[in-house]
Amino acid sequence: MDTLEQKISQIDKNRVPVHVAMIMDGNGRWAKKRGLGRSEGHSEGVATVHRVTQFSSDLGIKYLTLYAFSTENWNRPQTEVDTLMYLIGWAIERELPELLRNNVRIHLLGDIERIPEEPRKRLFYARDATAACTGLNLNMCLSYSSRWEITEAARRLASRVAEGSLSPSDIDEKMISDNLTTAGIPDPDLLIRTGGEERISNYLLWQIAYSELYFTDVLWPDFTNEEYADAIIDFQKRERRFGKTSEQVTNTTTTSQI
Ligand code: IPE
Ligand code: IPE
Ligand code: MG
């Protein structure tokens, strides 16, 4: 087994992904395996968020987008939803000093108005407090789903057409991208899902059109920086062709084309 240092030395620092997205799955199963309640799995998952944020910063990754709570997760038992909301508010407040020290800027993606007031205030506070940070952009997807944001974008554009300020023929891919919660952010280069499921679960459907997908059986609380490094090493071995031929893309960049 290579140590973390050995793995880091295998990463080409000039070709790290610009944008990494993660589906943080497996907290419940991690807890169940240990005879603990699901909320203890979620608490342990916060430590992994801390680790991957630090590691992403250290590697010079510019965007880290984390799926923390989906639109569909509102349908979980109310006690679990309450625990998650409490934990999110508490964790962001606790992490804020270190995020500031590491120059990390927080962005909130999703239907944030649905988040209960107490954690929502803490989230807004952290977002505003880090607004001048210029290092890693940490995008927290909360009450987020891709179909929700695409529906919102369609509604917004349709109302502009209805009022006469936009012509349907002017709608292009860029305009749609610019009306998603990820406006201005390059598409993810690498999407990592922990927890063993090989599905997307309504995450960034538009944005991952050409992302490299990496699935691991490791449950989110067990996801170490060694495993994160493995994902990046694997990513760097892939040839991203964006529909072109292998010959065409040789010697061109392997990160987002935006
Ligand atoms: C991911 O872990 C965290 C959230 C979805 C909020 P899960 O809670 O989905 O854990 P499993 O998939 O049940 O193990
Ligand atoms: C995806 O995990 C959502 C988050 C990680 C926030 P889920 O556990 O909700 O996904 P499914 O239900 O297994 O597809
Ligand atoms: Mg799950």
Side-chain angles (χ1 to χ4, degrees), residues 121-141:
K121 275 202 230 153
R122 293 173 195 221
L123 288 163
F124 285 159
Y125 183 82
R127 181 196 56 191
D128 297 344
T130 61
C133 294
T134 55
L136 174 73
N137 289 283
L138 177 59
N139 304 315
M140 295 298 297
C141 295

Side-chain angles (χ1 to χ4, degrees), residues 19-90:
H19 183 176
V20 178
M22 295 192 184
I23 301 176
M24 314 189 283
D25 197 24
N27 294 348
R29 279 164 287 162
W30 182 93
K32 196 170 175 192
K33 263 185 19 190
R34 289 164 175 75
L36 304 169
R38 294 180 58 82
S39 54
E40 286 167 273
H42 296 313
S43 305
E44 196 63 28
V46 174
T48 308
V49 173
H50 181 99
R51 277 200 301 277
V52 299
T53 302
Q54 181 73 55
F55 194 62
S56 302
S57 270
D58 294 347
L59 279 182
I61 288 166
K62 279 308 288 179
Y63 302 91
L64 175 65
T65 303
L66 301 178
Y67 205 6
F69 192 88
S70 73
T71 304
E72 289 73 23
N73 289 151
W74 288 115
N75 299 322
R76 290 195 176 189
Q78 192 58 44
T79 49
E80 179 165 350
V81 171
D82 291 345
T83 304
L84 277 164
M85 290 300 136
Y86 167 80
L87 199 60
I88 286 163
W90 168 82

